[in-house]
Amino acid sequence: MADISTIAKQFVDYYYKTFSEGRANLKALYRDNSMLTFEGIPIQGAVAIIEKLEALPFAKVQHKVTTLDAQPSSPAVSSLIVSVTGLLLVDDSENPLNFSQVFQLIPEGTTYYVFNDIFRLNYG
């Protein structure tokens, strides 16, 4: 099995590339028991999560990752906690927004799915 840092980087690169190219394509990463907390609002299930992501009020988005940390999240299962901080550029704005996002990835076959996803803009 690849090491945790490699898995986390591959996941984050894929997630944000897919997010910018077509948010609907992220549905394959979530399950009915997945939960997204977006700016304090909990959303459960792949369909509801993708509806929320597609309804966000911008057309173009770019995530610039500043930090990426990963840890195992269970001694019994090869699950991971992935913490990301970075800058978010939306539409044609020249003022990036600071964000943080935490994923809990659960193994499924030879890949992982997102069980938990917490997203926050960081103001201040």
Side-chain angles (χ1 to χ4, degrees), residues 4-22 25-26 29 61-70 80 82-86 99 101 103 105 114:
I4 290 172
S5 297
T6 301
I7 293 167
K9 178 155 181 16
Q10 289 172 344
F11 169 78
V12 167
D13 289 348
Y14 177 80
Y15 185 91
Y16 293 132
K17 182 178 187 289
T18 304
F19 194 106
S20 68
E21 292 175 353
N25 296 324
L26 291 171
L29 296 177
V61 62
Q62 182 181 9
H63 296 81
K64 292 189 175 194
V65 174
T66 305
T67 66
L68 171 61
D69 298 298
L80 305 174
V82 179
S83 175
V84 179
T85 63
F99 79 94
Q101 193 161 12
F103 301 96
L105 306 179
V114 179

Side-chain angles (χ1 to χ4, degrees), residues 77-97:
V77 182
S78 298
S79 56
L80 305 174
I81 295 284
V82 179
S83 175
V84 179
T85 63
L87 300 173
L88 192 63
L89 296 162
V90 294
D91 292 328
D92 294 320
S93 175
E94 294 180 14
N95 299 317
L97 303 167

